[in-house]
PDB file of all heavy atoms in Angstrom:
ATOM      1  N   ARG A 125      12.210 -25.693  11.173  1.00 98.00           N
ATOM      2  CA  ARG A 125      12.136 -27.017  10.529  1.00 98.00           C
ATOM      3  C   ARG A 125      10.954 -27.765  11.187  1.00 98.00           C
ATOM      4  O   ARG A 125      10.861 -27.812  12.393  1.00 98.00           O
ATOM      5  CB  ARG A 125      13.399 -27.817  10.726  1.00 98.00           C
ATOM      6  CG  ARG A 125      13.223 -29.264  10.186  1.00 98.00           C
ATOM      7  CD  ARG A 125      14.528 -29.921  10.028  1.00 98.00           C
ATOM      8  NE  ARG A 125      14.953 -29.629   8.697  1.00 98.00           N
ATOM      9  CZ  ARG A 125      15.778 -30.357   7.998  1.00 98.00           C
ATOM     10  NH1 ARG A 125      16.278 -31.449   8.487  1.00 98.00           N
ATOM     11  NH2 ARG A 125      16.084 -30.040   6.754  1.00 98.00           N
ATOM     12  N   PHE A 126      10.109 -28.290  10.335  1.00 98.00           N
ATOM     13  CA  PHE A 126       8.921 -29.028  10.812  1.00 98.00           C
ATOM     14  C   PHE A 126       9.062 -30.464  10.342  1.00 98.00           C
ATOM     15  O   PHE A 126       9.274 -30.753   9.138  1.00 98.00           O
ATOM     16  CB  PHE A 126       7.656 -28.414  10.157  1.00 98.00           C
ATOM     17  CG  PHE A 126       7.509 -26.941  10.438  1.00 98.00           C
ATOM     18  CD1 PHE A 126       8.045 -25.991   9.582  1.00 98.00           C
ATOM     19  CD2 PHE A 126       6.837 -26.525  11.589  1.00 98.00           C
ATOM     20  CE1 PHE A 126       7.906 -24.622   9.832  1.00 98.00           C
ATOM     21  CE2 PHE A 126       6.713 -25.143  11.865  1.00 98.00           C
ATOM     22  CZ  PHE A 126       7.256 -24.213  11.000  1.00 98.00           C
ATOM     23  N   SER A 127       8.938 -31.414  11.264  1.00 98.00           N
ATOM     24  CA  SER A 127       8.876 -32.839  10.930  1.00 98.00           C
ATOM     25  C   SER A 127       7.381 -33.136  10.698  1.00 98.00           C
ATOM     26  O   SER A 127       6.555 -32.807  11.503  1.00 98.00           O
ATOM     27  CB  SER A 127       9.417 -33.663  12.068  1.00 98.00           C
ATOM     28  OG  SER A 127      10.722 -33.366  12.288  1.00 98.00           O
ATOM     29  N   LEU A 128       7.113 -33.850   9.586  1.00 97.00           N
ATOM     30  CA  LEU A 128       5.724 -34.028   9.131  1.00 97.00           C
ATOM     31  C   LEU A 128       5.306 -35.523   9.207  1.00 97.00           C
ATOM     32  O   LEU A 128       6.130 -36.390   8.922  1.00 97.00           O
ATOM     33  CB  LEU A 128       5.530 -33.527   7.748  1.00 97.00           C
ATOM     34  CG  LEU A 128       5.988 -32.089   7.442  1.00 97.00           C
ATOM     35  CD1 LEU A 128       5.891 -31.783   5.933  1.00 97.00           C
ATOM     36  CD2 LEU A 128       5.156 -31.091   8.268  1.00 97.00           C
ATOM     37  N   GLY A 129       4.041 -35.752   9.470  1.00 96.00           N
ATOM     38  CA  GLY A 129       3.477 -37.079   9.458  1.00 96.00           C
ATOM     39  C   GLY A 129       2.624 -37.303   8.199  1.00 96.00           C
ATOM     40  O   GLY A 129       2.365 -38.469   7.854  1.00 96.00           O
ATOM     41  N   ALA A 130       2.186 -36.233   7.559  1.00 96.00           N
ATOM     42  CA  ALA A 130       1.337 -36.342   6.396  1.00 96.00           C
ATOM     43  C   ALA A 130       1.682 -35.296   5.402  1.00 96.00           C
ATOM     44  O   ALA A 130       0.862 -34.584   4.838  1.00 96.00           O
ATOM     45  CB  ALA A 130      -0.164 -36.176   6.834  1.00 96.00           C
ATOM     46  N   GLY A 131       3.003 -35.245   5.084  1.00 90.00           N
ATOM     47  CA  GLY A 131       3.498 -34.210   4.168  1.00 90.00           C
ATOM     48  C   GLY A 131       3.368 -34.568   2.731  1.00 90.00           C
ATOM     49  O   GLY A 131       2.811 -35.630   2.384  1.00 90.00           O
ATOM     50  N   PRO A 132       3.797 -33.747   1.844  1.00 94.00           N
ATOM     51  CA  PRO A 132       4.445 -32.484   2.128  1.00 94.00           C
ATOM     52  C   PRO A 132       3.431 -31.396   2.469  1.00 94.00           C
ATOM     53  O   PRO A 132       2.255 -31.526   2.190  1.00 94.00           O
ATOM     54  CB  PRO A 132       5.144 -32.166   0.762  1.00 94.00           C
ATOM     55  CG  PRO A 132       4.274 -32.761  -0.224  1.00 94.00           C
ATOM     56  CD  PRO A 132       3.733 -34.022   0.403  1.00 94.00           C
ATOM     57  N   SER A 133       3.946 -30.352   3.097  1.00 95.00           N
ATOM     58  CA  SER A 133       3.111 -29.220   3.399  1.00 95.00           C
ATOM     59  C   SER A 133       3.070 -28.238   2.224  1.00 95.00           C
ATOM     60  O   SER A 133       3.792 -28.472   1.220  1.00 95.00           O
ATOM     61  CB  SER A 133       3.623 -28.451   4.660  1.00 95.00           C
ATOM     62  OG  SER A 133       4.945 -28.073   4.527  1.00 95.00           O
ATOM     63  N   THR A 134       2.194 -27.269   2.288  1.00 93.00           N
ATOM     64  CA  THR A 134       2.029 -26.327   1.212  1.00 93.00           C
ATOM     65  C   THR A 134       2.463 -24.924   1.668  1.00 93.00           C
ATOM     66  O   THR A 134       2.034 -24.512   2.760  1.00 93.00           O
ATOM     67  CB  THR A 134       0.533 -26.240   0.796  1.00 93.00           C
ATOM     68  OG1 THR A 134       0.054 -27.552   0.533  1.00 93.00           O
ATOM     69  CG2 THR A 134       0.301 -25.358  -0.395  1.00 93.00           C
ATOM     70  N   PRO A 135       3.281 -24.224   0.897  1.00 94.00           N
ATOM     71  CA  PRO A 135       3.664 -22.885   1.341  1.00 94.00           C
ATOM     72  C   PRO A 135       2.473 -22.013   1.496  1.00 94.00           C
ATOM     73  O   PRO A 135       1.520 -22.087   0.696  1.00 94.00           O
ATOM     74  CB  PRO A 135       4.553 -22.399   0.175  1.00 94.00           C
ATOM     75  CG  PRO A 135       5.060 -23.641  -0.458  1.00 94.00           C
ATOM     76  CD  PRO A 135       3.954 -24.654  -0.294  1.00 94.00           C
ATOM     77  N   ALA A 136       2.448 -21.201   2.575  1.00 93.00           N
ATOM     78  CA  ALA A 136       1.298 -20.392   2.905  1.00 93.00           C
ATOM     79  C   ALA A 136       1.741 -18.929   3.131  1.00 93.00           C
ATOM     80  O   ALA A 136       2.898 -18.630   3.332  1.00 93.00           O
ATOM     81  CB  ALA A 136       0.647 -20.930   4.147  1.00 93.00           C
ATOM     82  N   SER A 137       0.744 -18.053   3.157  1.00 93.00           N
ATOM     83  CA  SER A 137       1.017 -16.654   3.444  1.00 93.00           C
ATOM     84  C   SER A 137       1.388 -16.478   4.916  1.00 93.00           C
ATOM     85  O   SER A 137       0.838 -17.134   5.760  1.00 93.00           O
ATOM     86  CB  SER A 137      -0.218 -15.800   3.119  1.00 93.00           C
ATOM     87  OG  SER A 137      -0.495 -15.854   1.761  1.00 93.00           O
ATOM     88  N   VAL A 138       2.309 -15.585   5.147  1.00 94.00           N
ATOM     89  CA  VAL A 138       2.748 -15.288   6.540  1.00 94.00           C
ATOM     90  C   VAL A 138       2.060 -14.008   6.959  1.00 94.00           C
ATOM     91  O   VAL A 138       2.115 -12.988   6.253  1.00 94.00           O
ATOM     92  CB  VAL A 138       4.301 -15.114   6.581  1.00 94.00           C
ATOM     93  CG1 VAL A 138       4.757 -14.772   8.017  1.00 94.00           C
ATOM     94  CG2 VAL A 138       4.988 -16.405   6.101  1.00 94.00           C
ATOM     95  N   ALA A 139       1.425 -14.037   8.162  1.00 94.00           N
ATOM     96  CA  ALA A 139       0.763 -12.862   8.700  1.00 94.00           C
ATOM     97  C   ALA A 139       1.814 -12.079   9.533  1.00 94.00           C
ATOM     98  O   ALA A 139       2.497 -12.650  10.311  1.00 94.00           O
ATOM     99  CB  ALA A 139      -0.411 -13.226   9.554  1.00 94.00           C
ATOM    100  N   VAL A 140       1.861 -10.752   9.290  1.00 95.00           N
ATOM    101  CA  VAL A 140       2.842  -9.902   9.926  1.00 95.00           C
ATOM    102  C   VAL A 140       2.071  -8.739  10.581  1.00 95.00           C
ATOM    103  O   VAL A 140       1.171  -8.212   9.939  1.00 95.00           O
ATOM    104  CB  VAL A 140       3.882  -9.358   8.974  1.00 95.00           C
ATOM    105  CG1 VAL A 140       4.910  -8.492   9.692  1.00 95.00           C
ATOM    106  CG2 VAL A 140       4.618 -10.479   8.209  1.00 95.00           C
ATOM    107  N   GLN A 141       2.463  -8.385  11.798  1.00 95.00           N
ATOM    108  CA  GLN A 141       1.922  -7.202  12.388  1.00 95.00           C
ATOM    109  C   GLN A 141       2.908  -6.529  13.309  1.00 95.00           C
ATOM    110  O   GLN A 141       3.850  -7.159  13.778  1.00 95.00           O
ATOM    111  CB  GLN A 141       0.620  -7.450  13.135  1.00 95.00           C
ATOM    112  CG  GLN A 141       0.756  -8.206  14.393  1.00 95.00           C
ATOM    113  CD  GLN A 141      -0.587  -8.385  15.112  1.00 95.00           C
ATOM    114  OE1 GLN A 141      -1.609  -8.650  14.469  1.00 95.00           O
ATOM    115  NE2 GLN A 141      -0.600  -8.249  16.414  1.00 95.00           N
ATOM    116  N   PHE A 142       2.788  -5.213  13.471  1.00 94.00           N
ATOM    117  CA  PHE A 142       3.630  -4.460  14.375  1.00 94.00           C
ATOM    118  C   PHE A 142       2.974  -3.153  14.746  1.00 94.00           C
ATOM    119  O   PHE A 142       2.010  -2.731  14.109  1.00 94.00           O
ATOM    120  CB  PHE A 142       5.014  -4.187  13.730  1.00 94.00           C
ATOM    121  CG  PHE A 142       5.009  -3.423  12.490  1.00 94.00           C
ATOM    122  CD1 PHE A 142       4.988  -2.023  12.498  1.00 94.00           C
ATOM    123  CD2 PHE A 142       5.014  -4.040  11.266  1.00 94.00           C
ATOM    124  CE1 PHE A 142       4.987  -1.328  11.303  1.00 94.00           C
ATOM    125  CE2 PHE A 142       5.006  -3.335  10.040  1.00 94.00           C
ATOM    126  CZ  PHE A 142       5.000  -1.990  10.096  1.00 94.00           C
ATOM    127  N   LEU A 143       3.510  -2.499  15.734  1.00 94.00           N
ATOM    128  CA  LEU A 143       3.103  -1.138  16.181  1.00 94.00           C
ATOM    129  C   LEU A 143       4.266  -0.213  16.062  1.00 94.00           C
ATOM    130  O   LEU A 143       5.407  -0.637  16.120  1.00 94.00           O
ATOM    131  CB  LEU A 143       2.668  -1.144  17.666  1.00 94.00           C
ATOM    132  CG  LEU A 143       1.529  -2.071  18.069  1.00 94.00           C
ATOM    133  CD1 LEU A 143       1.360  -2.064  19.589  1.00 94.00           C
ATOM    134  CD2 LEU A 143       0.266  -1.669  17.381  1.00 94.00           C
ATOM    135  N   CYS A 144       3.969   1.095  15.882  1.00 92.00           N
ATOM    136  CA  CYS A 144       5.001   2.087  15.978  1.00 92.00           C
ATOM    137  C   CYS A 144       4.346   3.336  16.550  1.00 92.00           C
ATOM    138  O   CYS A 144       3.454   3.946  15.927  1.00 92.00           O
ATOM    139  CB  CYS A 144       5.581   2.379  14.619  1.00 92.00           C
ATOM    140  SG  CYS A 144       7.009   3.443  14.660  1.00 92.00           S
ATOM    141  N   ASP A 145       4.783   3.710  17.746  1.00 92.00           N
ATOM    142  CA  ASP A 145       4.256   4.879  18.426  1.00 92.00           C
ATOM    143  C   ASP A 145       5.107   6.141  18.118  1.00 92.00           C
ATOM    144  O   ASP A 145       6.315   6.034  18.089  1.00 92.00           O
ATOM    145  CB  ASP A 145       4.229   4.695  19.932  1.00 92.00           C
ATOM    146  CG  ASP A 145       3.100   3.773  20.349  1.00 92.00           C
ATOM    147  OD1 ASP A 145       2.041   3.817  19.769  1.00 92.00           O
ATOM    148  OD2 ASP A 145       3.330   2.928  21.247  1.00 92.00           O
ATOM    149  N   GLY A 146       4.445   7.235  17.810  1.00 88.00           N
ATOM    150  CA  GLY A 146       5.138   8.500  17.625  1.00 88.00           C
ATOM    151  C   GLY A 146       5.372   8.901  16.184  1.00 88.00           C
ATOM    152  O   GLY A 146       5.882   9.964  15.895  1.00 88.00           O
ATOM    153  N   THR A 147       4.981   8.062  15.243  1.00 84.00           N
ATOM    154  CA  THR A 147       5.151   8.348  13.823  1.00 84.00           C
ATOM    155  C   THR A 147       4.154   7.644  12.991  1.00 84.00           C
ATOM    156  O   THR A 147       3.458   6.732  13.481  1.00 84.00           O
ATOM    157  CB  THR A 147       6.549   8.032  13.336  1.00 84.00           C
ATOM    158  OG1 THR A 147       6.768   8.528  11.998  1.00 84.00           O
ATOM    159  CG2 THR A 147       6.832   6.529  13.344  1.00 84.00           C
ATOM    160  N   ILE A 148       3.948   8.046  11.774  1.00 77.00           N
ATOM    161  CA  ILE A 148       3.029   7.414  10.855  1.00 77.00           C
ATOM    162  C   ILE A 148       3.648   7.387   9.444  1.00 77.00           C
ATOM    163  O   ILE A 148       4.638   8.049   9.202  1.00 77.00           O
ATOM    164  CB  ILE A 148       1.625   8.118  10.839  1.00 77.00           C
ATOM    165  CG1 ILE A 148       1.807   9.646  10.574  1.00 77.00           C
ATOM    166  CG2 ILE A 148       0.904   7.913  12.130  1.00 77.00           C
ATOM    167  CD1 ILE A 148       0.515  10.360  10.524  1.00 77.00           C
ATOM    168  N   LEU A 149       3.012   6.678   8.542  1.00 75.00           N
ATOM    169  CA  LEU A 149       3.496   6.605   7.158  1.00 75.00           C
ATOM    170  C   LEU A 149       3.096   7.819   6.299  1.00 75.00           C
ATOM    171  O   LEU A 149       3.898   8.261   5.513  1.00 75.00           O
ATOM    172  CB  LEU A 149       2.937   5.360   6.443  1.00 75.00           C
ATOM    173  CG  LEU A 149       3.513   4.011   6.803  1.00 75.00           C
ATOM    174  CD1 LEU A 149       2.708   2.921   6.143  1.00 75.00           C
ATOM    175  CD2 LEU A 149       4.959   3.924   6.363  1.00 75.00           C
ATOM    176  N   SER A 150       1.982   8.334   6.558  1.00 73.00           N
ATOM    177  CA  SER A 150       1.400   9.358   5.597  1.00 73.00           C
ATOM    178  C   SER A 150       2.005  10.774   5.842  1.00 73.00           C
ATOM    179  O   SER A 150       1.924  11.579   4.933  1.00 73.00           O
ATOM    180  CB  SER A 150      -0.102   9.426   5.778  1.00 73.00           C
ATOM    181  OG  SER A 150      -0.436   9.989   7.023  1.00 73.00           O
ATOM    182  N   GLY A 151       2.499  11.061   7.019  1.00 71.00           N
ATOM    183  CA  GLY A 151       2.998  12.402   7.247  1.00 71.00           C
ATOM    184  C   GLY A 151       1.866  13.371   7.607  1.00 71.00           C
ATOM    185  O   GLY A 151       2.068  14.558   7.707  1.00 71.00           O
ATOM    186  N   THR A 152       0.670  12.895   7.753  1.00 73.00           N
ATOM    187  CA  THR A 152      -0.473  13.713   8.116  1.00 73.00           C
ATOM    188  C   THR A 152      -0.272  14.394   9.433  1.00 73.00           C
ATOM    189  O   THR A 152       0.152  13.799  10.425  1.00 73.00           O
ATOM    190  CB  THR A 152      -1.776  12.835   8.167  1.00 73.00           C
ATOM    191  OG1 THR A 152      -1.945  12.221   6.909  1.00 73.00           O
ATOM    192  CG2 THR A 152      -2.975  13.675   8.554  1.00 73.00           C
ATOM    193  N   GLU A 153      -0.558  15.689   9.479  1.00 73.00           N
ATOM    194  CA  GLU A 153      -0.458  16.468  10.759  1.00 73.00           C
ATOM    195  C   GLU A 153      -1.876  16.980  11.116  1.00 73.00           C
ATOM    196  O   GLU A 153      -2.746  17.046  10.288  1.00 73.00           O
ATOM    197  CB  GLU A 153       0.464  17.665  10.580  1.00 73.00           C
ATOM    198  CG  GLU A 153       1.932  17.231  10.368  1.00 73.00           C
ATOM    199  CD  GLU A 153       2.541  16.600  11.595  1.00 73.00           C
ATOM    200  OE1 GLU A 153       2.097  16.878  12.770  1.00 73.00           O
ATOM    201  OE2 GLU A 153       3.418  15.768  11.420  1.00 73.00           O
ATOM    202  N   PHE A 154      -2.062  17.347  12.354  1.00 71.00           N
ATOM    203  CA  PHE A 154      -3.333  17.764  12.893  1.00 71.00           C
ATOM    204  C   PHE A 154      -3.192  19.244  13.384  1.00 71.00           C
ATOM    205  O   PHE A 154      -2.213  19.552  14.082  1.00 71.00           O
ATOM    206  CB  PHE A 154      -3.792  16.876  13.989  1.00 71.00           C
ATOM    207  CG  PHE A 154      -5.001  17.384  14.707  1.00 71.00           C
ATOM    208  CD1 PHE A 154      -6.261  17.249  14.180  1.00 71.00           C
ATOM    209  CD2 PHE A 154      -4.854  17.982  15.983  1.00 71.00           C
ATOM    210  CE1 PHE A 154      -7.388  17.755  14.888  1.00 71.00           C
ATOM    211  CE2 PHE A 154      -5.974  18.446  16.659  1.00 71.00           C
ATOM    212  CZ  PHE A 154      -7.191  18.335  16.129  1.00 71.00           C
ATOM    213  N   GLU A 155      -4.170  20.060  13.056  1.00 74.00           N
ATOM    214  CA  GLU A 155      -4.146  21.415  13.602  1.00 74.00           C
ATOM    215  C   GLU A 155      -5.604  21.768  13.945  1.00 74.00           C
ATOM    216  O   GLU A 155      -6.543  21.554  13.198  1.00 74.00           O
ATOM    217  CB  GLU A 155      -3.665  22.405  12.497  1.00 74.00           C
ATOM    218  CG  GLU A 155      -3.712  23.849  12.941  1.00 74.00           C
ATOM    219  CD  GLU A 155      -3.309  24.810  11.865  1.00 74.00           C
ATOM    220  OE1 GLU A 155      -2.635  24.355  10.887  1.00 74.00           O
ATOM    221  OE2 GLU A 155      -3.650  25.969  11.932  1.00 74.00           O
ATOM    222  N   LEU A 156      -5.770  22.263  15.167  1.00 74.00           N
ATOM    223  CA  LEU A 156      -7.111  22.677  15.635  1.00 74.00           C
ATOM    224  C   LEU A 156      -7.267  24.153  15.273  1.00 74.00           C
ATOM    225  O   LEU A 156      -6.569  25.033  15.782  1.00 74.00           O
ATOM    226  CB  LEU A 156      -7.202  22.456  17.141  1.00 74.00           C
ATOM    227  CG  LEU A 156      -8.570  22.676  17.755  1.00 74.00           C
ATOM    228  CD1 LEU A 156      -9.607  21.742  17.142  1.00 74.00           C
ATOM    229  CD2 LEU A 156      -8.491  22.480  19.239  1.00 74.00           C
ATOM    230  N   ALA A 157      -8.263  24.447  14.404  1.00 79.00           N
ATOM    231  CA  ALA A 157      -8.422  25.802  13.902  1.00 79.00           C
ATOM    232  C   ALA A 157      -9.594  26.541  14.624  1.00 79.00           C
ATOM    233  O   ALA A 157     -10.530  26.912  13.967  1.00 79.00           O
ATOM    234  CB  ALA A 157      -8.654  25.748  12.413  1.00 79.00           C
ATOM    235  N   THR A 158      -9.554  26.579  15.912  1.00 81.00           N
ATOM    236  CA  THR A 158     -10.522  27.353  16.673  1.00 81.00           C
ATOM    237  C   THR A 158      -9.864  27.846  17.981  1.00 81.00           C
ATOM    238  O   THR A 158      -8.874  27.327  18.421  1.00 81.00           O
ATOM    239  CB  THR A 158     -11.734  26.465  17.006  1.00 81.00           C
ATOM    240  OG1 THR A 158     -12.688  27.226  17.774  1.00 81.00           O
ATOM    241  CG2 THR A 158     -11.321  25.231  17.844  1.00 81.00           C
ATOM    242  N   LYS A 159     -10.432  28.942  18.498  1.00 82.00           N
ATOM    243  CA  LYS A 159      -9.905  29.455  19.728  1.00 82.00           C
ATOM    244  C   LYS A 159     -10.722  28.985  20.917  1.00 82.00           C
ATOM    245  O   LYS A 159     -10.372  29.284  22.095  1.00 82.00           O
ATOM    246  CB  LYS A 159      -9.815  30.975  19.679  1.00 82.00           C
ATOM    247  CG  LYS A 159      -8.835  31.464  18.663  1.00 82.00           C
ATOM    248  CD  LYS A 159      -8.704  32.974  18.665  1.00 82.00           C
ATOM    249  CE  LYS A 159      -7.661  33.349  17.591  1.00 82.00           C
ATOM    250  NZ  LYS A 159      -7.366  34.739  17.606  1.00 82.00           N
ATOM    251  N   GLN A 160     -11.842  28.306  20.690  1.00 81.00           N
ATOM    252  CA  GLN A 160     -12.713  27.836  21.769  1.00 81.00           C
ATOM    253  C   GLN A 160     -12.096  26.649  22.511  1.00 81.00           C
ATOM    254  O   GLN A 160     -12.380  26.444  23.673  1.00 81.00           O
ATOM    255  CB  GLN A 160     -14.092  27.500  21.200  1.00 81.00           C
ATOM    256  CG  GLN A 160     -14.785  28.669  20.634  1.00 81.00           C
ATOM    257  CD  GLN A 160     -16.069  28.252  19.978  1.00 81.00           C
ATOM    258  OE1 GLN A 160     -16.144  27.166  19.359  1.00 81.00           O
ATOM    259  NE2 GLN A 160     -17.107  29.057  20.067  1.00 81.00           N
TER     260      GLN A 160
END
Side-chain angles (χ1 to χ4, degrees):
R125 172 165 271 206
F126 304 90
S127 299
L128 308 174
S133 55
T134 306
S137 296
V138 178
V140 180
Q141 71 178 39
F142 61 84
L143 301 174
C144 189
D145 287 320
T147 189
I148 52 179
L149 284 172
S150 69
T152 302
E153 292 294 330
F154 171 78
E155 178 183 340
L156 187 61
T158 181
K159 292 184 181 185
Q160 294 173 325

